[in-house]
Amino acid sequence: MKPQHPHAMLPQLTHDERARQTFISSLQAYIGQHLSPGLHQVYEERVKPEFEQQHQRPPQQRHEIRRAMQEESTYQWWSALRRTTQELMWDALLTSADFQLDDLAARYHQVVAAAPAPAMGSLTIPPDFTVPAYQKAVDIHCMPGSYHSEASTDDVTAGALYDRGVYLYTQGRLGTLNDALGQVLIHNYLQPRHPALNPSRILELGCSVGHSLLPYVDTYPAAEIHGIDVAAPMLRYGHARAVALGKPVHFSQQQAEQTTFAEQSFDLIVSHIFLHEIPSFAVHRCFKECYRLLTPGGLMVHLEAPFYQDIDLFRAFLLDWETANNNEPFWSEVRDLDLSAIATTAGFTPESQERTVVSAQIPAQGLPMPQLQGQGMGGRGTWHIFAARK
């Protein structure tokens, strides 16, 4: 695993902290490469035949597979190890960050104070913003305090945890800047499918710390780039990180369901594995808001993990682990949605919509495909795209 790209906001690590984090990442890789493949063998050789003998039919739902697999010790060990490594990772990161709280705060103020506005972007945190209840119900991805929690004024801790955590969880497979999803959407979808696209204003929904958003600065240098999220600590960190990397982006704390932007404000609206972080009713509202915000001819593009109608039942069962065991409450629900029907209701014509699959590899960028513990997220080296033009 290559070292993560250094920047002024990235937490500094001691020798022991780096060693502990490297061990956890190596354990995650071992689970994905050596344990995950055995699950399918157990299912085909033992679990599925037993189910068919008992019910006189094969499993017809992923939930039936999960109930049957939960009785298997192989699956129990695999699931327990995945959850344990997730918790160990956050514990290691939080322990490291706790010793750097004052330093991170000082670096945040130093970086932002040195940034000329608006040339280096901006940050807007409304004093009266309320984080949606559905985002506060659990610690998403088991991350302590989730994305939104703040312990002090101008807190950036959640952003620091997330920046390093994404890198460890993916074993560096999203690139040294964690920006592979933005690179994939740009290089494997937008440029091949929409080569004439020249947006003047771009918006990312659920941008977190801006990992996936920053590549748009380089690809569309004349465009004004905006990113919104509900988590203030992520946005503060993301703003300072973007400044430190020399990328002008306008970050603001807003809900994708109802923004403060004027109608027809953007030519391109994107998201990267964001839809599964919100409930289905919010997805409906989000698509309506995208339609309102797009200029005539503007494009909405969402990159997501596979939807269940596109994959076999066993893969759907494995992906469902995120909801059952990894504090992803809306993962399973959103995987079943008919995005085309939702987009049509929002105002996009069926003819303007496209569902496709793109490679997770970007040969020109030298980025490998993200293969998270063997089965998660992008899965078999692909990402799914849903797009619609106003």
Side-chain angles (χ1 to χ4, degrees):
M1 185 171 70
K2 294 181 179 179
Q4 190 170 359
H5 186 91
H7 56 80
M9 291 305 299
L10 190 67
Q12 304 300 306
L13 301 177
T14 67
H15 173 275
D16 288 355
E17 289 169 346
R18 188 177 299 278
R20 184 184 180 194
Q21 292 178 18
T22 300
F23 164 75
I24 294 168
S25 184
S26 298
L27 179 56
Q28 290 174 324
Y30 179 85
I31 294 169
Q33 295 169 13
H34 298 282
L35 300 185
S36 295
L39 293 176
H40 190 260
Q41 181 178 356
V42 168
Y43 172 70
E44 289 291 341
E45 294 180 358
R46 187 160 62 244
V47 175
K48 185 179 178 182
E50 290 179 359
F51 184 97
E52 291 175 340
Q53 183 178 15
Q54 179 180 355
H55 299 278
Q56 298 301 302
R57 61 171 176 82
Q60 297 175 349
Q61 298 177 339
R62 62 185 186 274
H63 308 294
E64 292 181 330
I65 297 178
R66 179 156 66 91
R67 285 192 291 270
M69 287 290 289
Q70 282 178 330
E71 303 300 318
E72 281 292 323
S73 60
T74 302
Y75 174 76
Q76 293 169 358
W77 274 105
W78 174 83
S79 182
L81 282 170
R82 283 199 66 185
R83 175 63 184 241
T84 299
T85 55
Q86 185 83 332
E87 294 179 357
L88 284 173
M89 181 188 74
W90 292 123
D91 181 69
L93 292 170
L94 192 59
T95 300
S96 175
D98 280 345
F99 289 111
Q100 302 182 55
L101 292 181
D102 292 340
D103 182 51
L104 283 170
R107 278 190 275 159
Y108 166 72
H109 288 289
Q110 182 180 8
V111 170
V112 172
M120 286 308 299
S122 62
L123 174 67
T124 303
I125 307 292
D128 57 347
F129 184 85
T130 300
V131 176
Y134 60 74
Q135 287 291 318
K136 298 188 292 185
V138 299
D139 288 347
I140 304 296
H141 303 143
C142 305
M143 178 174 159
S146 199
Y147 301 160
H148 64 277
S149 295
E150 302 178 73
S152 60
T153 303
D154 293 339
D155 195 349
V156 296
T157 308
L161 289 176
Y162 186 78
D163 193 8
R164 183 62 181 164
V166 167
Y167 193 74
L168 287 179
Y169 182 71
T170 64
Q171 297 117 50
R173 290 189 172 96
L174 290 183
T176 59
L177 283 168
N178 290 325
D179 64 353
L181 301 187
Q183 300 280 9
V184 164
L185 201 153
I186 292 169
H187 296 287
N188 294 354
Y189 178 75
L190 288 176
Q191 290 185 331
R193 303 293 183 96
H194 303 276
L197 182 68
N198 186 28
S200 60
R201 299 185 86 217
I202 300 172
L203 171 66
E204 183 189 12
L205 309 176
C207 66
S208 64
V209 300
H211 286 151
S212 302
L213 184 59
L214 297 195
Y216 292 84
V217 178
D218 297 324
T219 305
Y220 304 104
E224 183 177 287
I225 312 291
H226 290 258
I228 64 172
D229 202 281
V230 299
M234 305 284 270
L235 293 167
R236 293 191 195 100
Y237 182 92
H239 173 52
R241 178 180 181 271
V243 169
L245 292 170
K247 311 292 185 183
V249 174
H250 301 281
F251 292 92
S252 59
Q253 188 181 28
Q254 301 193 51
Q255 280 188 251
E257 304 166 52
Q258 186 176 15
T259 73
T260 61
F261 298 117
E263 292 185 13
Q264 300 184 16
S265 292
F266 297 96
D267 308 301
L268 175 63
I269 299 176
V270 298
S271 78
H272 310 82
I273 57 172
F274 162 69
L275 295 181
H276 72 260
E277 303 291 2
I278 59 178
S280 58
F281 71 82
V283 175
H284 284 258
R285 295 174 183 173
C286 176
F287 276 34
K288 289 181 180 179
E289 182 67 354
C290 287
Y291 189 83
R292 185 185 75 85
L293 292 177
L294 283 172
T295 57
L299 188 64
M300 171 185 76
V301 188
H302 301 281
L303 178 148
E304 262 293 345
F307 283 78
Y308 289 155
Q309 63 262 38
D310 300 321
I311 59 178
D312 61 70
L313 285 180
F314 187 79
R315 284 192 68 205
F317 144 72
L318 286 178
L319 286 173
D320 244 18
W321 185 90
E322 300 293 337
T323 288
N325 298 285
N326 199 31
N327 283 17
E328 283 277 23
F330 311 117
W331 174 279
S332 181
E333 175 186 12
V334 168
R335 301 265 80 76
D336 281 327
L337 291 181
D338 183 347
L339 294 186
S340 181
I342 296 173
T344 301
T345 301
F348 297 95
T349 64
E351 296 75 22
S352 74
Q353 301 169 25
E354 180 181 21
R355 292 178 69 252
T356 188
V357 176
V358 298
S359 172
Q361 292 181 312
I362 314 172
Q365 302 294 311
L367 294 175
M369 70 178 183
Q371 191 79 2
L372 310 188
Q373 298 212 13
Q375 296 292 341
M377 307 300 284
R380 298 170 181 173
T382 60
W383 292 99
H384 287 224
I385 300 288
F386 180 84
R389 187 183 290 277
K390 184 173 179 179

